[in-house]
């Protein structure tokens, strides 16, 4: 069982969350491991959640009685040797997202949360800060979600899962990128260690990377959904607590 060490993540009432996020703009760039974290944050702030269960494109949501805006762009990239191409594409997708989220305040009222199951490298982080400075967005709050165990979780019934040695290599890579993020002054949400230690709580589906599931929250409204999964709740609660203490 994984639990946070030497730290405490406060839980807030809905009223307190709504006050804390008044006038905030939350921008998310990531894949299907970041999307449920965003949905959890939205549901906790708003009290309810109305969104597509499987959003794999651009999304724009008004929550908290229109006092908080949330933007999402689905970005998924498998690790490859072509890191230059990856970096360029990730910035291109992020820039399109930021343009859709305009007007953006160049301060901590704007929060960018980014990361996925496997595609983020240290070079991404350095390049991102350089480009944000070029477009005068260097003062927005940056929150980095680390790679998670995801596709490297070995399971006999999952042909896309990997072997234990690959998990060891992923840990080395993840520790490096987490250290870079901290050195650059980014907020960090570590999803690797929770998913390594709680692999039995993954929600096995079409792929091995998910630790959440979606359910209908209201029989009378098919659009109202709920995010399930103890791992997703744990890491998303940490994200929400961090964002609530701006």
């Amino acid at each position: 069982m994984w639990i946070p060490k030497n730290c405490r993540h406060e839980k807030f009432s809905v009223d307190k969350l709504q006050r804390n996020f008044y006038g905030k703009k939350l921008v998310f760039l990531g894949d299907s491991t970041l999307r449920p974290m965003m949905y959890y944050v939205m549901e906790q702030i708003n009290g309810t959640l109305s969104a597509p269960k499987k959003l794999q494109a651009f999304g724009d949501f008004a929550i908290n009685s229109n006092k908080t805006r949330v933007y999402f762009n689905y970005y998924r990239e498998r690790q490859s040797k072509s890191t230059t191409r990856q970096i360029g594409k990730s910035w291109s997708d992020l820039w399109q997202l930021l343009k859709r989220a305009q007007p953006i305040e160049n301060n901590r009222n704007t929060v960018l949360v980014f990361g996925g199951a496997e595609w983020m490298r240290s070079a991404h982080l350095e390049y991102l800060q350089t480009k944000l400075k070029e477009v005068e967005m260097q003062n927005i709050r940056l929150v980095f979600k680390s790679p998670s165990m995801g596709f490297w979780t070995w399971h006999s019934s999952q042909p896309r899962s990997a072997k234990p040695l690959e998990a060891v290599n992923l840990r080395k890579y993840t520790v490096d990128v987490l250290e870079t993020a901290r050195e650059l002054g980014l907020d960090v949400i570590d999803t690797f260690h929770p998913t390594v230690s709680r692999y039995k709580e993954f929600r096995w589906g079409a792929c091995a990377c998910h630790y959440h599931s979606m359910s209908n929250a209201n029989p009378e409204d098919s659009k109202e959904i709920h995010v399930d999964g103890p791992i997703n709740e744990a890491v998303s609660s940490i994200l929400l607590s961090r964002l609530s203490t701006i």
Side-chain angles (χ1 to χ4, degrees):
M1 174 64 73
W2 175 91
I3 58 173
K5 182 180 180 181
N6 298 329
C7 58
R8 177 175 178 270
H9 301 284
E10 186 175 356
K11 288 191 175 182
F12 300 91
S13 66
V14 173
D15 288 342
K16 182 67 178 295
L17 287 172
Q18 291 178 349
R19 291 195 298 271
N20 288 350
F21 285 91
Y22 184 96
K24 305 295 183 182
K25 189 167 288 187
L26 310 180
V27 182
F28 291 80
L29 178 74
D31 59 17
S32 56
T33 62
L34 181 63
R35 183 181 60 222
M37 295 177 66
M38 175 187 72
Y39 280 172
Y40 180 90
V41 168
M42 291 169 57
E43 185 175 7
Q44 295 303 306
I45 296 171
N46 203 52
T48 59
L49 173 63
S50 295
K53 288 186 178 180
K54 192 175 182 179
L55 178 62
Q56 292 185 317
F58 175 78
D60 177 0
F61 307 95
I63 61 173
N64 194 12
S65 301
N66 279 335
K67 304 303 182 184
T68 307
R69 294 298 294 267
V70 181
Y71 298 86
F72 174 79
N73 198 12
Y74 181 85
Y75 180 84
R76 175 177 176 268
E77 183 73 62
R78 296 298 298 268
Q79 283 195 32
S80 71
K81 296 180 181 180
S82 181
T83 57
T84 301
R85 182 187 66 82
Q86 280 187 341
I87 292 170
K89 186 177 186 307
S90 63
W91 169 252
S92 176
D93 283 31
L94 174 58
W95 179 235
Q96 293 302 315
L97 176 60
L98 291 172
K99 287 196 293 185
R100 291 199 183 198
Q102 294 286 351
I104 284 181
E105 297 180 41
N106 185 26
N107 56 40
R108 292 170 74 85
N109 280 337
T110 304
V111 182
L112 170 60
V113 185
F114 61 98
E118 54 184 330
W119 56 269
M120 185 61 64
R121 295 175 180 268
S122 296
H124 281 90
L125 306 178
E126 297 161 351
Y127 185 78
L128 172 64
Q129 286 199 320
T130 299
K131 298 299 289 186
L132 287 173
K133 187 174 182 179
E134 289 179 6
V135 297
E136 298 183 348
M137 295 184 189
Q138 71 275 18
N139 295 322
I140 68 176
R141 185 174 185 182
L142 301 179
V143 182
F144 167 56
K145 173 206 168 294
S146 80
S148 52
M149 191 59 184
F151 293 107
W152 291 271
T153 302
W154 186 85
H155 195 277
S156 59
S157 66
Q158 295 295 319
R160 295 180 63 183
S161 61
K163 301 298 185 291
L165 179 59
E166 292 176 280
V168 173
N169 293 332
L170 175 64
R171 183 183 183 279
K172 294 178 181 178
Y173 151 72
T174 301
V175 168
D176 176 67
V177 73
L178 284 171
E179 183 61 28
T180 299
R182 293 187 178 101
E183 289 175 355
L184 293 173
L186 278 62
D187 286 323
V188 172
I189 304 298
D190 178 5
T191 61
F192 176 77
H193 292 93
T195 52
V196 166
S197 61
R198 301 179 67 170
Y199 68 94
K200 291 183 179 180
E201 297 174 80
F202 269 57
R203 301 296 176 93
W204 303 103
C207 67
C209 68
H210 294 144
Y211 38 89
H212 76 283
S213 59
M214 310 297 297
S215 62
N216 291 327
N218 185 347
E220 299 179 358
D221 185 355
S222 60
K223 294 182 179 180
E224 188 175 328
I225 60 176
H226 174 68
V227 189
D228 299 300
I231 303 176
N232 185 72
E233 181 179 356
V235 295
S236 300
S237 295
I238 293 173
L239 172 61
L240 183 62
S241 179
R242 295 273 186 85
L243 296 181
S244 300
T245 54
I246 297 176

